[in-house]
Amino acid sequence: MKKTAIAMVAVALVSGCILPEGVTEEDLLSFDAAVTSIGCDLATESDYLPVELQTGMPREKLVTVAQYKVDQGEAVTLSNGGVRLVTGACAPKTEAAPAAT
């Protein structure tokens, strides 16, 4: 029983590290750059078209990469069904606390 539980935890940890079928590290980098260039959100047709052109990926692959990014915590789902990158230049800005006087 204990061995089964350990094996299940190991599989869960490793499964998050495996790229979706047909997706490469280069695809992930290209996706990040393209989505960043349009303002970090991928939600509407006017978002998808330039990302498709910049990456050369079809819509289905963009959706797969977007879901992978959400699963990895590198993007969040928006209320309109789209996604927003939350890493790199798209990371949420945090305001510095005011200096104590």
Side-chain angles (χ1 to χ4, degrees):
M1 178 83 168
K2 190 174 184 180
K3 288 181 182 180
T4 303
I6 292 172
M8 290 176 72
V9 169
V11 168
L13 291 174
V14 172
S15 67
C17 300
I18 299 173
L19 293 175
E21 186 175 334
V23 176
T24 65
E25 287 291 334
E26 184 177 297
D27 291 336
L28 298 177
L29 294 173
S30 178
F31 177 90
D32 287 349
V35 174
T36 299
S37 78
I38 62 158
C40 301
D41 289 356
L42 186 61
T44 64
E45 186 71 15
S46 62
D47 299 330
Y48 276 97
L49 288 175
V51 173
E52 288 172 355
L53 288 171
Q54 289 180 54
T55 64
M57 291 184 227
R59 178 79 48 103
E60 297 79 25
K61 191 169 186 177
L62 292 177
V63 170
T64 298
V65 172
Q67 184 58 52
Y68 175 78
K69 292 285 188 177
V70 169
D71 292 344
Q72 296 300 305
E74 298 176 14
V76 294
T77 303
L78 300 172
S79 61
N80 63 2
V83 298
R84 173 177 292 145
L85 286 180
V86 294
T87 59
C90 295
K93 307 293 185 245
T94 56
E95 293 185 30
T101 54

